[in-house]
Amino acid sequence: MRQRGIFISFEGSEGCGKSTQIQSLTETLKRRSLAFVLAREPGSTAIGEKIRHLLKYTPVALCPHTELFLFAASRAQLVREILQPALLAGSFVICDRFLDSTAVYQGIARNLPFDLIQCVNRHAIEDCVPDITFLLDMDAHLALKRAIRRRTAQDPCDRMEEEPPDFYEKVRKGYLERAEKEPERFVILDAEKTADSLSQTILKILEARWPFQLKTPYGD
Ligand SMILES: Nc1ncnc2c1ncn2[C@@H]1O[C@H](COP(=O)(O)OP(=O)(O)OP(=O)(O)O)[C@@H](O)[C@H]1O
Ligand SMILES: [Mg+2]
């Protein structure tokens, strides 16, 4: 399949600021009247949201393989139902987490074999790989503190936020290792900078890489 849109993913551990940056970027795209599709992982399709609920709120520990296959099931549906059609139509696609989350969380932090993760991811996404991935990198404990502060009464027991502290260190290291292996796709950002300065940096990077696609006839 030939993609025509631009696929942007945001990665990083809990609380690093992915949703904050995505909101800022989508506001810019809206102001510029540019078409975009926003997706979060797991979820965004009807079945994906059910899988998200299972993953987040199942009160017993899921074994790592179960986690891997549930994430992959959600992703396979998302790619075929939403992302591929949107990219074919020339839209921006913005994803709050994508394949790198699986590689890091299930591969590095849960110790599943790398070739298994690769194989499952390859079948789930086919050729739907992000054009650019912003990694919001920061001290794992600080990020977690941010996430816990933000946690609301409706979201009291997210399983992923109840891991031992060294889990988050592994996640951070895992992301950085992945980014080093694919420097042409990843952009590593210091997530301790202010939200505004991060938004400006992200926009500048996107405008430099895709000046035509981000241009607006109305100014911004
Ligand atoms: N650059 C920043 N500096 C300080 N605080 C920030 C920054 N970016 C986001 N925050 C705050 O940190 C908290 C977590 O941010 P956000 O929800 O965007 O993170 P996230 O990466 O989406 O987390 P999760 O993985 O849990 O969805 C929020 O309360 C947000 O307002
Ligand atoms: Mg978020």
Side-chain angles (χ1 to χ4, degrees):
M1 183 197 72
R2 180 131 181 83
Q3 294 178 3
R4 287 189 289 131
I6 294 164
F7 184 3
I8 304 163
S9 65
F10 285 80
E11 296 280 358
S13 55
E14 284 76 7
C16 66
K18 298 179 294 298
S19 300
T20 305
Q21 291 310 317
I22 286 170
Q23 191 181 345
S24 166
L25 177 59
T26 54
E27 277 166 12
T28 301
L29 295 178
K30 268 188 225 159
R31 270 201 308 277
R32 296 185 184 188
S33 304
L34 296 169
F36 69 90
V37 162
L38 174 59
R40 64 173 183 179
E41 276 226 320
S44 295
T45 63
I47 189 69
E49 287 297 323
K50 288 189 175 158
I51 294 170
R52 181 183 185 90
H53 197 267
L54 274 177
L55 279 162
K56 281 177 80 96
Y57 301 111
T58 299
V60 293
L62 295 176
C63 71
H65 285 81
T66 308
E67 255 187 28
L68 173 68
F69 296 133
L70 283 173
F71 276 108
S74 170
R75 183 167 306 137
Q77 188 68 25
L78 175 65
V79 163
R80 287 156 187 82
E81 192 178 314
I82 298 178
L83 305 193
Q84 283 176 339
L87 289 167
L88 268 177
S91 274
F92 284 88
V93 163
I94 298 164
C95 228
D96 190 340
R97 299 190 177 281
F98 197 60
L99 80 158
D100 303 297
S101 285
T102 307
V104 168
Y105 284 81
Q106 278 67 52
I108 297 166
R110 302 274 195 233
N111 276 323
L112 284 177
F114 186 65
D115 56 348
L116 172 67
I117 309 265
Q118 286 274 76
C119 176
V120 169
N121 263 338
R122 200 170 53 240
H123 284 278
I125 71 171
E126 298 182 329
D127 62 353
C128 197
V129 178
D131 296 297
I132 189 165
T133 298
F134 290 104
L135 171 57
L136 290 156
D137 174 63
M138 65 184 283
D139 176 85
H141 300 285
L142 276 179
L144 191 59
K145 272 194 195 156
R146 278 187 187 174
I148 289 168
R149 239 182 282 135
R150 182 220 44 207
R151 196 188 284 176
T152 63
Q154 293 90 30
D155 196 12
C157 52
D158 184 328
R159 278 184 336 105
M160 282 292 182
E161 287 175 16
E162 286 176 350
E163 301 291 342
D166 74 323
F167 177 89
Y168 299 98
E169 293 293 350
K170 279 196 204 169
V171 165
R172 183 186 191 188
K173 267 188 70 190
Y175 269 127
L176 288 171
E177 280 166 18
R178 262 188 95 71
E180 270 166 31
K181 282 191 194 133
E182 285 189 72
E184 65 297 334
R185 174 162 69 89
F186 273 93
V187 175
I188 304 173
L189 299 170
D190 174 0
E192 287 188 50
K193 296 221 163 114
T194 66
D196 278 353
S197 83
L198 283 162
S199 305
Q200 282 170 27
T201 303
I202 288 168
L203 193 56
K204 271 193 196 139
I205 290 169
L206 292 174
E207 284 176 334
R209 203 171 291 189
W210 292 285
F212 177 71
Q213 289 87 339
L214 276 146
K215 212 169 54 179
T216 167
Y218 316 112
D220 184 58

